[in-house]
Amino acid sequence: MSLARIYGMQTLLRTAHLRKSVVKVCGASGPSALPWLDSVSRRSILTGGGASHEKLAPKPVPKHDWNRAVSEAEKIVGYPTSFLSLRWLLSDEIANVALHLRKLVGSNHPLLRTAKMLIFNGKNNMQAWGLIVLLVSKAVGHAPTVPDLEQDKSAGVLQSQRGLAEITEMIRTAQLVHQGLVNLQSLDEAGNELGSDSDTIFGNKIALLSGDYLLGNACLQLAGLRNQPLIELISSAVRDLAESNFIGERDQQNNPLPSCPLDCPGMAAGGGDSELEGDVCFGDSMNNTQPLSLEGVMGNPEREWALRHILGAGSLLGKSCQGAMMLAEQSEALQRRGYMFGKHLSLAWQACIDLEPFGCDHLPPGVRFSLVSAPVLFHLAHDPSLYEEIQKGRESVDNIDFVKVHAAVLKGPGPERTRVLQKKHSEAALEVLNDLPPSDARTALQNIILAMQDI
Protein backbone atom coordinates (compact mmCIF):
# COMPACT_ATOMS: atom_id res chain seq x y z
CA MET A 1 0.00 0.00 0.00
CA SER A 2 1.43 3.40 -1.00
CA LEU A 3 2.01 6.26 1.41
CA ALA A 4 -0.52 8.41 -0.42
CA ARG A 5 -3.31 5.85 0.19
CA ILE A 6 -2.32 5.53 3.86
CA TYR A 7 -2.48 9.32 4.31
CA GLY A 8 -5.83 9.41 2.50
CA MET A 9 -7.34 6.72 4.76
CA GLN A 10 -6.08 8.55 7.87
CA THR A 11 -7.73 11.74 6.63
CA LEU A 12 -11.06 9.97 6.04
CA LEU A 13 -10.98 8.48 9.55
CA ARG A 14 -10.29 11.89 11.09
CA THR A 15 -13.08 13.44 9.05
CA ALA A 16 -15.56 10.75 10.11
CA HIS A 17 -14.61 11.21 13.76
CA LEU A 18 -15.00 14.98 13.42
CA ARG A 19 -18.41 14.55 11.74
CA LYS A 20 -19.68 12.46 14.67
CA SER A 21 -18.45 15.02 17.17
CA VAL A 22 -20.18 17.87 15.32
CA VAL A 23 -23.43 15.92 15.16
CA LYS A 24 -23.32 15.26 18.91
CA VAL A 25 -22.45 18.80 19.90
CA CYS A 26 -24.53 20.66 17.32
CA GLY A 27 -27.47 18.26 17.04
CA ALA A 28 -29.94 21.10 17.49
CA SER A 29 -28.49 22.96 14.58
CA GLY A 30 -29.55 20.34 12.11
CA PRO A 31 -27.60 19.56 8.96
CA SER A 32 -26.65 23.19 8.33
CA ALA A 33 -23.11 22.64 9.57
CA LEU A 34 -22.51 19.60 7.40
CA PRO A 35 -21.86 21.42 4.08
CA TRP A 36 -19.10 23.35 5.83
CA LEU A 37 -17.73 20.07 7.13
CA ASP A 38 -17.86 18.55 3.66
CA SER A 39 -15.85 21.45 2.28
CA VAL A 40 -13.26 20.95 5.04
CA SER A 41 -12.98 17.24 4.24
CA ARG A 42 -12.63 17.91 0.53
CA ARG A 43 -9.83 20.40 1.15
CA SER A 44 -8.19 17.96 3.55
CA ILE A 45 -8.15 15.18 1.00
CA LEU A 46 -6.86 17.47 -1.75
CA THR A 47 -3.99 18.73 0.39
CA GLY A 48 -3.10 15.26 1.67
CA GLY A 49 -3.63 16.15 5.35
CA GLY A 50 -5.68 18.13 7.79
CA ALA A 51 -4.56 21.59 6.60
CA SER A 52 -7.40 24.03 6.11
CA HIS A 53 -5.50 26.60 4.00
CA GLU A 54 -6.80 26.82 0.44
CA LYS A 55 -3.68 28.71 -0.76
CA LEU A 56 -0.10 27.92 0.21
CA ALA A 57 1.93 30.77 1.68
CA PRO A 58 4.60 32.10 -0.71
CA LYS A 59 8.15 31.04 0.04
CA PRO A 60 10.38 33.82 1.42
CA VAL A 61 12.97 35.22 -0.94
CA PRO A 62 16.37 33.87 0.16
CA LYS A 63 18.94 36.43 1.27
CA HIS A 64 22.68 36.33 0.91
CA ASP A 65 23.98 34.85 4.14
CA TRP A 66 27.45 35.97 5.27
CA ASN A 67 28.42 32.73 7.04
CA ARG A 68 27.26 30.65 4.08
CA ALA A 69 29.12 32.87 1.60
CA VAL A 70 32.36 32.52 3.61
CA SER A 71 31.88 28.77 4.03
CA GLU A 72 31.36 28.25 0.30
CA ALA A 73 34.39 30.43 -0.45
CA GLU A 74 36.60 28.40 1.89
CA LYS A 75 35.64 25.25 -0.02
CA ILE A 76 36.86 26.87 -3.22
CA VAL A 77 40.34 27.59 -1.85
CA GLY A 78 40.56 24.13 -0.31
CA TYR A 79 40.56 24.63 3.47
CA PRO A 80 39.25 26.98 6.21
CA THR A 81 41.26 30.19 6.40
CA SER A 82 39.53 31.94 9.29
CA PHE A 83 42.27 30.95 11.74
CA LEU A 84 45.42 31.19 9.65
CA SER A 85 47.22 32.98 12.47
CA LEU A 86 46.00 30.64 15.21
CA ARG A 87 48.85 28.15 14.78
CA TRP A 88 51.31 30.86 15.78
CA LEU A 89 49.35 31.47 18.98
CA LEU A 90 49.51 27.73 19.74
CA SER A 91 53.26 27.42 19.23
CA ASP A 92 55.60 26.40 22.03
CA GLU A 93 56.82 29.93 22.71
CA ILE A 94 53.37 31.29 23.50
CA ALA A 95 51.36 28.17 24.36
CA ASN A 96 50.59 29.51 27.85
CA VAL A 97 48.71 32.58 26.62
CA ALA A 98 45.33 30.88 27.04
CA LEU A 99 46.22 29.91 30.61
CA HIS A 100 47.30 33.46 31.42
CA LEU A 101 44.05 34.85 30.00
CA ARG A 102 42.17 33.02 32.76
CA LYS A 103 43.65 35.46 35.26
CA LEU A 104 41.92 38.31 33.40
CA VAL A 105 38.41 36.83 33.68
CA GLY A 106 36.31 39.29 35.64
CA SER A 107 38.77 42.17 35.16
CA ASN A 108 36.95 43.60 32.10
CA HIS A 109 40.26 44.02 30.27
CA PRO A 110 39.76 44.85 26.56
CA LEU A 111 42.01 41.93 25.59
CA LEU A 112 39.24 39.51 26.60
CA ARG A 113 36.80 41.13 24.18
CA THR A 114 39.43 41.03 21.45
CA ALA A 115 40.08 37.32 22.05
CA LYS A 116 36.36 36.57 21.97
CA MET A 117 35.95 38.44 18.70
CA LEU A 118 38.87 36.61 17.09
CA ILE A 119 37.68 33.16 18.17
CA PHE A 120 33.99 33.72 17.52
CA ASN A 121 34.77 35.03 14.02
CA GLY A 122 31.20 36.05 13.35
CA LYS A 123 29.79 38.49 10.84
CA ASN A 124 30.92 41.44 12.99
CA ASN A 125 34.54 40.57 12.33
CA MET A 126 36.61 40.83 9.17
CA GLN A 127 39.05 38.05 10.00
CA ALA A 128 38.37 36.47 6.60
CA TRP A 129 41.08 38.60 5.04
CA GLY A 130 43.33 35.67 4.28
CA LEU A 131 40.38 34.11 2.47
CA ILE A 132 39.90 37.27 0.39
CA VAL A 133 43.58 37.24 -0.63
CA LEU A 134 43.40 33.59 -1.70
CA LEU A 135 40.18 34.13 -3.66
CA VAL A 136 41.70 37.09 -5.48
CA SER A 137 44.79 34.98 -6.22
CA LYS A 138 42.69 32.18 -7.70
CA ALA A 139 40.40 34.51 -9.64
CA VAL A 140 43.30 36.30 -11.34
CA GLY A 141 45.53 33.30 -11.99
CA HIS A 142 49.25 33.50 -12.64
CA ALA A 143 51.58 34.09 -15.55
CA PRO A 144 52.90 31.10 -17.53
CA THR A 145 56.44 31.95 -16.42
CA VAL A 146 55.76 30.91 -12.80
CA PRO A 147 57.64 27.64 -12.06
CA ASP A 148 55.58 24.49 -11.52
CA LEU A 149 57.16 23.88 -8.11
CA GLU A 150 55.71 27.17 -6.89
CA GLN A 151 52.15 26.21 -7.84
CA ASP A 152 49.58 24.53 -5.61
CA LYS A 153 47.53 23.08 -8.44
CA SER A 154 44.95 21.47 -6.15
CA ALA A 155 43.93 24.87 -4.74
CA GLY A 156 44.74 26.95 -7.81
CA VAL A 157 47.06 29.36 -5.97
CA LEU A 158 50.79 29.74 -5.46
CA GLN A 159 52.61 28.67 -2.32
CA SER A 160 53.86 32.23 -1.89
CA GLN A 161 50.30 33.56 -2.18
CA ARG A 162 49.21 31.19 0.56
CA GLY A 163 52.06 32.51 2.71
CA LEU A 164 50.99 36.10 1.98
CA ALA A 165 47.43 35.29 3.12
CA GLU A 166 48.81 34.02 6.41
CA ILE A 167 51.01 37.11 6.78
CA THR A 168 47.96 39.32 6.25
CA GLU A 169 46.01 37.48 8.94
CA MET A 170 48.89 37.74 11.43
CA ILE A 171 49.39 41.48 10.89
CA ARG A 172 45.67 42.16 11.22
CA THR A 173 45.40 40.04 14.37
CA ALA A 174 48.48 41.70 15.90
CA GLN A 175 46.90 45.11 15.32
CA LEU A 176 43.65 44.10 17.02
CA VAL A 177 45.52 42.62 19.99
CA HIS A 178 47.66 45.74 20.38
CA GLN A 179 44.53 47.90 20.43
CA GLY A 180 43.55 46.10 23.65
CA LEU A 181 46.24 47.94 25.61
CA VAL A 182 44.93 50.15 28.42
CA ASN A 183 46.56 53.46 29.36
CA LEU A 184 47.26 53.12 33.10
CA GLN A 185 48.22 56.74 33.70
CA SER A 186 46.99 60.12 32.60
CA LEU A 187 49.42 62.56 31.02
CA ASP A 188 49.58 64.55 34.25
CA GLU A 189 50.79 61.50 36.20
CA ALA A 190 53.11 60.07 33.56
CA GLY A 191 56.37 58.76 35.03
CA ASN A 192 55.00 57.97 38.47
CA GLU A 193 54.65 54.48 39.86
CA LEU A 194 51.80 52.42 38.47
CA GLY A 195 48.74 51.74 40.55
CA SER A 196 47.84 48.51 42.29
CA ASP A 197 45.64 47.19 39.48
CA SER A 198 47.73 44.08 38.85
CA ASP A 199 45.15 42.48 36.54
CA THR A 200 45.23 45.42 34.13
CA ILE A 201 49.04 45.52 34.17
CA PHE A 202 49.17 41.79 33.48
CA GLY A 203 46.63 42.10 30.67
CA ASN A 204 48.70 44.83 29.05
CA LYS A 205 51.78 42.61 29.15
CA ILE A 206 49.92 39.74 27.48
CA ALA A 207 48.45 42.03 24.81
CA LEU A 208 51.81 43.64 24.08
CA LEU A 209 53.83 40.42 23.93
CA SER A 210 51.21 38.47 21.96
CA GLY A 211 50.82 41.22 19.38
CA ASP A 212 54.58 41.63 19.05
CA TYR A 213 55.02 37.89 18.63
CA LEU A 214 52.48 37.75 15.79
CA LEU A 215 53.94 40.83 14.11
CA GLY A 216 57.48 39.46 14.42
CA ASN A 217 56.52 36.14 12.85
CA ALA A 218 54.71 37.97 10.06
CA CYS A 219 57.85 39.99 9.27
CA LEU A 220 59.98 36.86 9.38
CA GLN A 221 57.69 35.01 6.98
CA LEU A 222 57.46 38.06 4.71
CA ALA A 223 61.25 38.19 4.47
CA GLY A 224 61.24 34.47 3.63
CA LEU A 225 59.34 35.19 0.41
CA ARG A 226 62.47 36.97 -0.88
CA ASN A 227 60.57 39.53 -2.92
CA GLN A 228 61.89 43.05 -2.32
CA PRO A 229 59.00 44.99 -3.94
CA LEU A 230 56.48 42.92 -1.95
CA ILE A 231 58.38 43.55 1.30
CA GLU A 232 58.32 47.29 0.62
CA LEU A 233 54.59 47.16 -0.19
CA ILE A 234 53.51 45.26 2.94
CA SER A 235 55.89 47.28 5.12
CA SER A 236 54.11 50.45 3.99
CA ALA A 237 50.82 48.86 5.07
CA VAL A 238 52.27 48.26 8.56
CA ARG A 239 53.34 51.91 8.62
CA ASP A 240 49.77 52.94 7.76
CA LEU A 241 48.42 50.80 10.61
CA ALA A 242 50.70 52.59 13.07
CA GLU A 243 49.78 56.01 11.67
CA SER A 244 46.06 55.28 12.05
CA ASN A 245 46.49 55.45 15.84
CA PHE A 246 47.62 59.09 15.69
CA ILE A 247 45.05 60.60 13.32
CA GLY A 248 42.79 63.32 14.75
CA GLU A 249 41.91 64.06 18.36
CA ARG A 250 41.87 61.30 20.99
CA ASP A 251 40.90 60.90 24.62
CA GLN A 252 43.34 59.69 27.27
CA GLN A 253 42.63 56.04 26.39
CA ASN A 254 43.39 56.78 22.72
CA ASN A 255 39.75 56.45 21.67
CA PRO A 256 39.30 58.50 18.47
CA LEU A 257 37.17 61.64 18.45
CA PRO A 258 35.76 63.30 15.33
CA SER A 259 37.21 66.58 14.12
CA CYS A 260 35.27 69.79 14.26
CA PRO A 261 33.09 69.89 11.12
CA LEU A 262 34.06 72.38 8.44
CA ASP A 263 31.91 75.47 8.03
CA CYS A 264 30.50 74.38 4.69
CA PRO A 265 26.97 75.60 3.78
CA GLY A 266 26.30 72.62 1.53
CA MET A 267 27.14 70.15 4.25
CA ALA A 268 25.32 72.03 6.96
CA ALA A 269 22.16 71.98 4.86
CA GLY A 270 22.15 68.23 4.76
CA GLY A 271 23.27 67.93 1.16
CA GLY A 272 22.65 64.73 -0.68
CA ASP A 273 24.32 61.97 -2.57
CA SER A 274 26.24 64.50 -4.64
CA GLU A 275 28.44 65.20 -1.61
CA LEU A 276 29.97 61.74 -1.79
CA GLU A 277 33.34 61.67 -3.49
CA GLY A 278 33.57 59.80 -6.79
CA ASP A 279 36.74 57.96 -5.74
CA VAL A 280 38.37 58.63 -2.41
CA CYS A 281 42.04 59.16 -3.20
CA PHE A 282 44.80 60.46 -0.94
CA GLY A 283 47.72 60.35 -3.33
CA ASP A 284 47.69 56.53 -3.53
CA SER A 285 46.38 56.27 -7.08
CA MET A 286 49.87 56.22 -8.59
CA ASN A 287 52.25 55.29 -5.76
CA ASN A 288 50.65 53.79 -2.67
CA THR A 289 53.91 53.10 -0.84
CA GLN A 290 54.18 56.76 0.19
CA PRO A 291 52.26 58.18 3.20
CA LEU A 292 48.71 59.28 2.42
CA SER A 293 48.03 62.97 2.02
CA LEU A 294 46.12 64.67 4.89
CA GLU A 295 45.35 67.86 2.99
CA GLY A 296 41.70 68.95 3.22
CA VAL A 297 40.67 65.80 5.09
CA MET A 298 39.86 66.51 8.73
CA GLY A 299 36.38 67.99 9.12
CA ASN A 300 35.19 66.68 5.76
CA PRO A 301 32.91 63.76 6.75
CA GLU A 302 33.54 61.29 3.94
CA ARG A 303 37.22 62.03 3.44
CA GLU A 304 37.97 61.90 7.17
CA TRP A 305 36.07 58.63 7.52
CA ALA A 306 37.76 57.11 4.49
CA LEU A 307 41.27 58.18 5.56
CA ARG A 308 40.86 56.76 9.07
CA HIS A 309 39.73 53.37 7.82
CA ILE A 310 42.07 53.13 4.84
CA LEU A 311 44.97 53.62 7.24
CA GLY A 312 43.50 51.26 9.85
CA ALA A 313 42.37 48.43 7.56
CA GLY A 314 41.92 49.19 3.88
CA SER A 315 45.60 49.74 3.18
CA LEU A 316 46.55 46.27 4.46
CA LEU A 317 43.80 44.44 2.57
CA GLY A 318 44.32 46.42 -0.63
CA LYS A 319 48.09 45.97 -0.64
CA SER A 320 47.76 42.28 0.18
CA CYS A 321 45.52 41.81 -2.87
CA GLN A 322 48.02 43.82 -4.92
CA GLY A 323 50.86 41.71 -3.54
CA ALA A 324 49.07 38.49 -4.50
CA MET A 325 48.96 39.69 -8.11
CA MET A 326 52.59 40.77 -7.86
CA LEU A 327 53.58 37.24 -6.84
CA ALA A 328 51.59 35.91 -9.80
CA GLU A 329 53.66 38.18 -12.09
CA GLN A 330 50.62 40.02 -13.37
CA SER A 331 50.82 43.44 -15.03
CA GLU A 332 51.19 46.59 -12.95
CA ALA A 333 47.82 47.82 -14.19
CA LEU A 334 46.12 44.69 -12.85
CA GLN A 335 48.06 45.00 -9.59
CA ARG A 336 46.69 48.52 -9.21
CA ARG A 337 43.17 47.21 -9.75
CA GLY A 338 43.79 44.64 -7.05
CA TYR A 339 44.72 47.40 -4.60
CA MET A 340 41.57 49.36 -5.43
CA PHE A 341 39.45 46.23 -4.98
CA GLY A 342 40.80 45.54 -1.49
CA LYS A 343 40.48 49.18 -0.46
CA HIS A 344 36.87 49.51 -1.60
CA LEU A 345 35.93 46.13 -0.14
CA SER A 346 37.31 47.16 3.25
CA LEU A 347 35.46 50.50 3.18
CA ALA A 348 32.18 48.80 2.20
CA TRP A 349 32.61 46.38 5.10
CA GLN A 350 33.36 49.23 7.52
CA ALA A 351 30.20 51.06 6.43
CA CYS A 352 28.21 47.92 7.29
CA ILE A 353 29.81 47.81 10.75
CA ASP A 354 29.10 51.51 11.32
CA LEU A 355 25.40 51.03 10.54
CA GLU A 356 24.82 48.25 13.07
CA PRO A 357 24.36 50.42 16.21
CA PHE A 358 21.79 52.53 14.36
CA GLY A 359 19.60 49.62 13.34
CA CYS A 360 17.48 49.97 16.51
CA ASP A 361 15.42 52.90 17.78
CA HIS A 362 16.89 52.85 21.28
CA LEU A 363 20.50 52.28 22.34
CA PRO A 364 20.76 49.48 24.95
CA PRO A 365 22.17 50.59 28.32
CA GLY A 366 25.94 50.55 28.52
CA VAL A 367 26.43 50.11 24.76
CA ARG A 368 28.87 52.44 23.02
CA PHE A 369 29.64 52.95 19.36
CA SER A 370 32.46 54.56 17.39
CA LEU A 371 32.30 58.32 17.45
CA VAL A 372 34.16 58.43 14.12
CA SER A 373 31.68 56.14 12.38
CA ALA A 374 30.17 57.35 9.13
CA PRO A 375 26.65 58.12 10.50
CA VAL A 376 28.10 60.33 13.26
CA LEU A 377 30.45 62.21 10.93
CA PHE A 378 27.70 62.80 8.38
CA HIS A 379 25.36 64.06 11.10
CA LEU A 380 27.98 66.46 12.48
CA ALA A 381 28.27 67.98 9.01
CA HIS A 382 24.48 68.28 8.95
CA ASP A 383 24.10 69.60 12.52
CA PRO A 384 27.39 70.97 13.96
CA SER A 385 25.68 71.78 17.28
CA LEU A 386 26.06 68.10 18.29
CA TYR A 387 29.82 68.67 18.43
CA GLU A 388 29.33 70.33 21.82
CA GLU A 389 28.39 66.93 23.24
CA ILE A 390 31.39 65.31 21.53
CA GLN A 391 33.76 67.81 23.16
CA LYS A 392 32.83 66.43 26.59
CA GLY A 393 34.89 63.32 25.74
CA ARG A 394 38.26 65.03 25.42
CA GLU A 395 39.36 63.46 28.69
CA SER A 396 37.31 60.28 28.36
CA VAL A 397 34.57 59.19 25.97
CA ASP A 398 32.70 57.91 29.05
CA ASN A 399 31.69 61.52 29.69
CA ILE A 400 29.67 61.61 26.46
CA ASP A 401 25.94 60.88 26.51
CA PHE A 402 25.86 58.14 23.87
CA VAL A 403 22.08 57.83 24.12
CA LYS A 404 21.70 61.49 23.20
CA VAL A 405 24.13 61.19 20.28
CA HIS A 406 22.42 58.00 19.08
CA ALA A 407 18.97 59.60 19.13
CA ALA A 408 20.22 62.70 17.30
CA VAL A 409 21.97 60.69 14.58
CA LEU A 410 18.85 58.58 13.99
CA LYS A 411 16.82 61.70 13.26
CA GLY A 412 19.36 63.05 10.78
CA PRO A 413 20.60 61.98 7.34
CA GLY A 414 23.62 60.08 8.67
CA PRO A 415 22.31 56.48 8.46
CA GLU A 416 20.85 56.91 4.99
CA ARG A 417 23.97 58.56 3.63
CA THR A 418 26.04 55.72 5.12
CA ARG A 419 23.92 53.22 3.19
CA VAL A 420 24.63 55.17 0.02
CA LEU A 421 28.32 55.15 0.96
CA GLN A 422 28.30 51.39 1.51
CA LYS A 423 26.59 50.83 -1.83
CA LYS A 424 29.10 53.06 -3.61
CA HIS A 425 32.13 51.16 -2.36
CA SER A 426 30.44 47.79 -2.96
CA GLU A 427 29.76 48.73 -6.57
CA ALA A 428 33.34 49.95 -6.97
CA ALA A 429 34.64 46.57 -5.74
CA LEU A 430 32.21 44.69 -7.99
CA GLU A 431 33.34 46.78 -10.96
CA VAL A 432 36.88 45.46 -10.51
CA LEU A 433 35.60 41.89 -10.33
CA ASN A 434 33.65 42.32 -13.56
CA ASP A 435 36.96 42.84 -15.39
CA LEU A 436 38.16 39.38 -14.31
CA PRO A 437 37.33 36.21 -16.25
CA PRO A 438 34.34 34.18 -14.92
CA SER A 439 35.31 31.63 -12.27
CA ASP A 440 34.05 30.12 -9.06
CA ALA A 441 36.48 32.32 -7.10
CA ARG A 442 35.09 35.48 -8.69
CA THR A 443 31.55 34.32 -7.92
CA ALA A 444 32.52 33.67 -4.29
CA LEU A 445 33.91 37.20 -3.96
CA GLN A 446 30.74 38.63 -5.46
CA ASN A 447 28.62 36.63 -2.99
CA ILE A 448 30.66 37.94 -0.06
CA ILE A 449 30.12 41.54 -1.20
CA LEU A 450 26.39 40.97 -1.67
CA ALA A 451 26.12 39.27 1.72
CA MET A 452 27.40 42.45 3.38
CA GLN A 453 24.29 44.33 2.27
CA ASP A 454 22.00 41.88 4.12
CA ILE A 455 23.83 42.13 7.46
Side-chain angles (χ1 to χ4, degrees):
M1 184 178 295
S2 64
L3 291 176
R5 294 186 61 187
I6 294 176
Y7 291 149
M9 293 178 63
Q10 290 177 344
T11 302
L12 291 175
L13 291 175
R14 286 196 301 268
T15 304
H17 179 72
L18 180 60
R19 184 187 296 272
K20 293 179 181 179
S21 300
V22 172
V23 171
K24 291 181 181 179
V25 175
C26 306
S29 302
S32 59
L34 294 181
W36 167 82
L37 188 60
D38 290 337
S39 64
V40 171
S41 63
R42 285 195 298 269
R43 288 198 301 268
S44 299
I45 295 174
L46 290 175
T47 56
S52 60
H53 300 286
E54 296 187 11
K55 182 183 291 187
L56 295 177
K59 295 182 179 180
V61 178
K63 292 185 176 181
H64 296 277
D65 181 73
W66 167 258
N67 293 328
R68 181 177 179 181
V70 171
S71 177
E72 293 296 330
E74 288 181 336
K75 294 178 182 178
I76 293 175
V77 297
Y79 67 101
T81 61
S82 302
F83 301 104
L84 284 173
S85 59
L86 188 60
R87 71 181 183 93
W88 296 103
L89 287 175
L90 297 180
S91 61
D92 295 337
E93 292 83 353
I94 203 168
N96 292 326
V97 168
L99 297 177
H100 292 320
L101 285 177
R102 291 184 181 179
K103 301 179 182 180
L104 298 179
V105 175
S107 65
N108 198 30
H109 194 280
L111 181 59
L112 289 177
R113 295 193 295 271
T114 303
K116 180 180 179 180
M117 180 183 65
L118 292 174
I119 294 175
F120 178 68
N121 196 41
K123 65 183 181 182
N124 298 327
N125 175 22
M126 192 57 176
Q127 277 298 291
W129 284 18
L131 174 63
I132 299 296
V133 174
L134 292 178
L135 288 174
V136 169
S137 302
K138 188 169 184 178
V140 173
H142 54 79
T145 56
V146 176
D148 292 340
L149 294 177
E150 174 66 14
Q151 303 175 22
D152 184 356
K153 296 184 178 180
S154 61
V157 298
L158 305 179
Q159 300 291 349
S160 56
Q161 290 174 331
R162 192 179 296 279
L164 178 61
E166 186 171 343
I167 292 169
T168 304
E169 285 276 9
M170 283 193 289
I171 295 176
R172 174 62 171 165
T173 306
Q175 180 211 15
L176 295 175
V177 172
H178 276 157
Q179 287 179 345
L181 287 169
V182 177
N183 187 8
L184 300 176
Q185 290 180 330
S186 62
L187 293 177
D188 298 335
E189 300 177 355
N192 298 330
E193 293 185 3
L194 297 176
S196 59
D197 192 354
S198 60
D199 288 339
T200 304
I201 296 174
F202 184 77
N204 278 358
K205 291 180 179 179
I206 295 298
L208 180 62
L209 295 175
S210 300
D212 287 351
Y213 181 78
L214 286 172
L215 188 59
N217 275 290
C219 294
L220 180 63
Q221 188 166 337
L222 178 62
L225 295 179
R226 301 182 181 276
N227 188 312
Q228 185 62 32
L230 178 65
I231 294 175
E232 180 182 0
L233 183 66
I234 302 302
S235 298
S236 66
V238 177
R239 178 207 61 213
D240 293 339
L241 291 176
E243 188 177 351
S244 67
N245 294 313
F246 300 95
I247 293 295
E249 298 183 4
R250 307 241 166 188
D251 72 349
Q252 293 186 358
Q253 289 296 334
N254 205 39
N255 294 307
L257 297 172
S259 302
C260 182
L262 297 175
D263 186 13
C264 179
M267 292 182 182
D273 299 346
S274 60
E275 296 176 18
L276 298 181
E277 303 286 344
D279 181 21
V280 182
C281 179
F282 303 95
D284 57 342
S285 59
M286 297 301 297
N287 183 8
N288 58 358
T289 59
Q290 298 299 317
L292 301 184
S293 174
L294 305 181
E295 183 179 357
V297 171
M298 309 311 291
N300 183 307
E302 186 186 3
R303 292 185 64 81
E304 178 178 344
W305 174 84
L307 177 68
R308 288 179 181 273
H309 296 295
I310 289 175
L311 288 174
S315 175
L316 177 60
L317 183 59
K319 292 177 181 179
S320 295
C321 294
Q322 178 182 353
M325 297 184 181
M326 183 184 299
L327 291 171
E329 301 182 5
Q330 298 291 350
S331 64
E332 292 187 3
L334 189 57
Q335 293 177 27
R336 177 64 49 187
R337 298 285 284 170
Y339 170 73
M340 300 303 294
F341 169 78
K343 184 175 78 170
H344 285 297
L345 175 61
S346 177
L347 292 177
W349 174 256
Q350 186 62 46
C352 289
I353 296 176
D354 289 353
L355 278 171
E356 287 185 0
F358 301 95
C360 55
D361 296 334
H362 302 284
L363 188 69
V367 175
R368 300 193 315 185
F369 51 86
S370 174
L371 295 172
V372 293
S373 61
V376 176
L377 293 177
F378 281 132
H379 186 85
L380 288 175
H382 167 73
D383 181 17
S385 63
L386 185 63
Y387 192 70
E388 297 180 2
E389 182 66 29
I390 301 296
Q391 287 182 312
K392 297 179 181 179
R394 290 183 178 273
E395 181 177 349
S396 174
V397 294
D398 295 332
N399 299 330
I400 297 177
D401 188 351
F402 280 84
V403 176
K404 177 181 177 180
V405 176
H406 182 269
V409 173
L410 278 181
K411 297 178 182 178
E416 181 58 33
R417 294 190 62 196
T418 304
R419 295 185 186 94
V420 176
L421 185 68
Q422 192 275 337
K423 182 179 179 181
K424 184 192 79 169
H425 288 292
S426 295
E427 291 177 349
L430 289 172
E431 182 181 354
V432 176
L433 290 180
N434 291 335
D435 294 339
L436 302 180
S439 64
D440 53 354
R442 190 188 80 167
T443 302
L445 288 169
Q446 292 172 338
N447 291 337
I448 289 177
I449 295 174
L450 295 175
M452 292 181 185
Q453 304 176 12
D454 293 329
I455 296 178

